[in-house]
Amino acid sequence: MATIKVKQVKSKIGAPKDQKATLASLGLRKPNQIVEVEDTPSTRGMVQKVKHLVAIVD
């Protein structure tokens, strides 16, 4: 299955608990960290929820 690389570009300090949990479920713990996740509708939804904290990189 295809994968996407997600990079945390902003700190989660001050974010609501649900957004912090979304970052944790994506595997992101600190800014500038890049993780590779499967490209599924559920992961796309998680990225959409925290789109102001993350970016999709090539």
Side-chain angles (χ1 to χ4, degrees):
M1 183 149 228
T3 60
I4 55 173
K5 290 183 181 180
V6 181
K7 178 180 182 179
Q8 184 177 347
V9 295
K10 198 172 173 189
S11 175
K12 62 184 174 184
I13 295 173
K17 285 184 181 181
D18 61 333
Q19 292 178 5
K20 290 180 182 180
T22 302
L23 287 174
S25 65
L26 284 170
L28 294 166
R29 296 185 310 259
K30 54 188 177 180
N32 293 320
Q33 182 181 9
I34 299 174
V35 294
E36 194 167 352
V37 293
E38 288 188 15
D39 188 9
T40 62
S42 61
T43 55
R44 286 283 180 169
M46 287 190 278
V47 169
Q48 183 67 24
K49 183 170 183 164
V50 292
K51 64 183 175 188
H52 57 288
L53 301 175
V54 300
I56 297 177
V57 294
D58 294 330

